[in-house]
């Protein structure tokens, strides 16, 4: 079997860590048990471009249990957990092409390897499979029945492809399920981003000025958790509604030009380019720590920072010091890549349980319904979203109320008034 991982010798460690993660993924486990019996993905060739983590391993085993012929590559050069990649290849016989720290050429070579069996279904986290297929591998298009997309940035790109008539097969936007973005993007990114910053720096957040750029679901989560650790959070935004929400959530809101000179920590989560740039680096305090938790490594203008720097050196794992001409130092975490996956382990398993339950059930949905789908970006069917919420609550031992007949009648009537 063809695969490319850093070190097969890490497989034993990976197996144990995968087992640990799976213990917190009861919803995915119940899907895996059903898939093993029903085989809804029997013989379907799938390529998944995901962060290769213990949680992704649990998803991969579920898809395989469902009968899929699966290949996996990384969706970010720094997010692969090499022990997990080794275990999936050695113990589960899943072709994995992913090495932490791989260069750009290797990253794209691995994407092409994952496409090596001419997949019928693609599973993306950032749309790299879809964009590679639509630009370099168009011969694969006729065989593809559909795909799924995990993240906000990917969904934005795919919607623009659909609107301009470029998209050539249906995509289900897993990110937009309520059981995905309300939990993974908020609580997952909130915890894992703070975890990444703390693991990389071992600095105290309490009492610091922590600038969060972007107040989408991910930014909301990071602001909430940084505040929970005692940081004084400042939010920067371009959207007036989100800015207003941040104000009423209790944070200071100001332009980055102002925040740049105040922040001790900065974290970008906007999905846009050069959110931190030359004019901001010029205003930063000595020792400012900057990081990104948005999907791509474009949010910090690292080229500008490199040009401004008189000296640069790695000072500890995942921390690079840039010394400016006047002696001030700015620290960049994880090369400006997703800090939660570069320096920590990504979102905790119990939240990925819901995200990946969506991925598994949407793959099944595509297998069953692809013939009726158009070249569009679809929402996750509401029944799937609600089922996952129900299963998650049940796994947590939480019961909820049901409407009485009188209440159902009331909600469906318009006659009853004041
Ligand atoms: N994205 C964020 N956290 C993740 C994780 N733990 N596994 C896979 N993808 C992720």
């Amino acid at each position: 079997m063809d695969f490319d991982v850093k070190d097969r010798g890490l497989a034993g460690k990976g197996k144990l860590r995968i087992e640990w993660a799976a213990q917190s993924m009861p919803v995915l486990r119940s899907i895996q048990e059903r898939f093993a019996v029903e085989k809804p993905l029997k013989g379907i060739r799938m390529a998944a471009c995901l962060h290769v983590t213990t949680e992704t391993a649990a998803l991969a085993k579920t898809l395989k249990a469902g009968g899929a012929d699966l290949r996996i590559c990384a969706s970010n050069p720094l997010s692969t957990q090499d022990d997990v990649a080794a275990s999936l290849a050695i113990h589960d016989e899943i072709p994995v092409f992913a090495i932490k720290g791989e260069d750009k050429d290797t990253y794209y070579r691995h994407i092409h390897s994952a496409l090596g069996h001419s997949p019928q279904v693609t599973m993306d986290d950032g749309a790299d499979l879809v964009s590679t297929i639509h630009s370099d591998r168009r011969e694969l298009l006729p065989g593809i029945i559909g795909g799924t997309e995990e993240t906000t940035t990917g969904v934005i790109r795919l919607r623009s492809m659909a609107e301009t008539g470029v998209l050539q097969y249906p995509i289900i936007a897993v990110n937009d399920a309520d059981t995905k973005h309300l939990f993974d993007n908020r609580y997952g990114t909130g915890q894992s981003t703070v975890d990444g910053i703390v693991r990389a720096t071992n600095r105290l957040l309490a009492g610091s000025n922590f600038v969060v750029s972007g107040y989408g679901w991910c930014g909301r989560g990071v602001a909430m958790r940084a505040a929970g650790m005692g940081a004084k959070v400042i939010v920067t935004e371009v959207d007036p509604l989100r800015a207003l929400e941040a104000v009423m959530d209790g944070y200071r809101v100001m332009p980055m030009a102002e925040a740049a000179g105040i922040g001790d920590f900065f974290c970008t989560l906007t999905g846009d380019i050069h959110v931190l740039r030359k004019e901001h680096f010029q205003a930063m305090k000595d020792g400012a720590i900057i990081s990104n938790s948005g999907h791509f490594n474009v949010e910090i203008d690292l080229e500008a920072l490199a040009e401004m720097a008189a000296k640069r050196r790695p000072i500890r794992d995942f921390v690079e010091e840039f010394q400016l001409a006047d002696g001030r130092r700015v620290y960049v975490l994880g090369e400006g890549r997703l800090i939660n996956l570069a320096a920590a382990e990504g979102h905790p398993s119990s939240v990925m349980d819901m995200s990946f339950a969506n991925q598994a059930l949407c793959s099944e949905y595509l297998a069953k319904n692809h013939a009726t789908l158009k070249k569009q970006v679809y929402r996750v069917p509401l029944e799937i979203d609600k089922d996952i919420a129900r299963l998650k609550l049940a796994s947590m031992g939480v019961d909820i109320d049901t409407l009485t007949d009188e209440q159902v009648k009331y909600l469906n009537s318009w006659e009853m008034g004041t």
Side-chain angles (χ1 to χ4, degrees):
M1 187 188 80
D2 193 16
F3 65 90
D4 192 16
V5 301
K6 184 172 179 205
D7 178 0
R8 300 156 162 263
L10 297 172
K13 181 180 172 210
K15 189 165 193 279
L16 291 173
R17 291 205 319 114
I18 293 168
E19 184 185 321
W20 172 256
Q23 286 177 19
S24 305
M25 303 181 82
V27 178
L28 195 61
R29 182 161 62 244
S30 68
I31 295 169
Q32 181 171 341
E33 283 160 9
R34 179 172 66 77
F35 273 19
V37 177
E38 296 177 9
K39 303 279 177 203
L41 304 175
K42 191 159 192 258
I44 294 190
R45 295 186 304 281
M46 295 186 69
C49 179
L50 300 171
H51 302 298
V52 181
T53 64
T54 50
E55 292 74 27
T56 298
L59 172 62
K61 285 161 171 275
T62 303
L63 300 173
K64 191 165 179 188
D69 173 5
L70 175 68
R71 288 179 160 228
I72 302 182
C73 61
S75 59
N76 185 295
L78 266 193
S79 62
T80 299
Q81 298 172 3
D82 290 314
D83 55 345
V84 170
S87 173
L88 281 175
I90 307 286
H91 300 122
D92 299 291
E93 295 181 359
I94 295 174
V96 179
F97 306 90
I99 296 174
K100 186 168 176 119
E102 61 196 9
D103 61 19
K104 202 169 172 183
D105 286 349
T106 312
Y107 178 77
Y108 280 100
R109 182 162 52 76
H110 283 161
I111 286 188
H112 283 280
S113 302
L115 297 174
H117 65 337
S118 305
Q120 296 157 291
V121 171
T122 61
M123 187 175 278
D124 258 313
D125 186 335
D128 279 348
L129 286 179
V130 170
S131 58
T132 303
I133 289 168
H134 281 71
S135 48
D136 300 340
R137 301 292 302 274
R138 294 189 70 85
E139 79 281 2
L140 298 176
L141 285 168
I144 300 183
I145 60 175
T148 61
E149 172 53 54
E150 169 80 7
T151 199
T152 321
T153 300
V155 170
I156 291 170
R157 296 183 144 199
L158 291 160
R159 288 231 156 87
S160 101
M161 286 175 79
E163 273 155 28
T164 50
V166 174
L167 186 68
Q168 291 301 310
Y169 60 88
I171 297 285
I172 303 185
V174 164
N175 180 71
D176 294 357
D178 286 345
T179 47
K180 201 279 184 181
H181 69 272
L182 292 179
F183 302 93
D184 168 315
N185 299 25
R186 181 167 35 170
Y187 303 110
T189 307
Q191 178 165 327
S192 62
T193 299
V194 170
D195 184 16
I197 293 171
V198 170
R199 285 201 211 188
T201 63
N202 194 27
R203 288 277 168 86
L204 186 71
L205 296 191
S208 69
N209 292 312
F210 193 114
V211 181
V212 176
S213 195
Y215 205 62
W217 290 110
C218 295
R220 289 175 180 113
V222 173
M224 178 171 62
R225 291 301 176 240
M229 292 188 71
K232 291 172 280 180
V233 172
I234 296 170
V235 172
T236 70
E237 246 304 338
V238 291
D239 180 292
L241 282 169
R242 288 184 172 179
L244 189 57
E245 188 182 346
V247 171
M248 297 220 180
D249 284 345
Y251 305 119
R252 292 170 74 193
V253 175
M254 62 183 76
M256 185 59 91
E258 214 177 305
I262 303 175
D264 301 301
F265 294 91
F266 293 81
C267 186
T268 55
L269 309 95
T270 70
D272 212 339
I273 192 163
H274 297 172
V275 178
L276 285 175
R277 49 186 182 266
K278 187 169 182 186
E279 72 220 56
H280 305 131
F281 305 136
Q282 263 158 354
M284 283 180 184
K285 299 195 289 197
D286 181 33
I289 292 172
I290 65 181
S291 60
N292 166 56
S293 210
H295 185 78
F296 288 116
N297 61 333
V298 295
E299 304 209 16
I300 302 172
D301 187 354
L302 286 175
E303 274 178 28
L305 184 58
E307 270 170 28
M308 290 166 73
K311 276 195 259 167
R312 60 190 278 189
R313 57 175 180 157
I315 189 158
R316 50 187 268 141
D317 287 351
F318 306 112
V319 186
E320 188 170 7
E321 179 184 82
F322 289 75
Q323 186 159 32
L324 307 184
D326 63 5
R328 273 177 305 128
R329 291 155 303 176
V330 171
Y331 294 101
V332 176
L333 305 189
E335 301 169 21
R337 298 189 186 275
L338 280 165
I339 192 59
N340 60 338
L341 282 140
E345 293 168 69
H347 305 346
S349 324
S350 96
V351 85
M352 293 310 295
D353 189 25
M354 289 189 279
S355 312
F356 284 167
N358 274 288
Q359 288 285 10
L361 296 181
C362 287
S363 309
E364 178 182 34
Y365 181 85
L366 277 174
K368 285 196 181 132
N369 299 291
H370 65 93
T372 62
L373 301 178
K374 302 197 177 73
K375 297 167 180 176
Q376 286 173 7
V377 177
Y378 287 87
R379 282 200 60 116
V380 171
L382 196 60
E383 315 81 77
I384 290 185
D385 217 353
K386 291 247 191 260
D387 275 351
I388 291 172
R390 262 184 230 108
L391 287 168
K392 190 70 180 174
L393 283 170
S395 77
M396 298 165 99
V398 177
D399 272 338
I400 59 170
D401 285 327
T402 41
L403 295 171
T404 62
D405 290 345
E406 184 193 23
Q407 287 172 326
V408 172
K409 193 169 163 216
Y410 178 78
L411 290 176
N412 288 307
S413 71
W414 53 270
E415 299 93 338
M416 257 184 264
T418 320

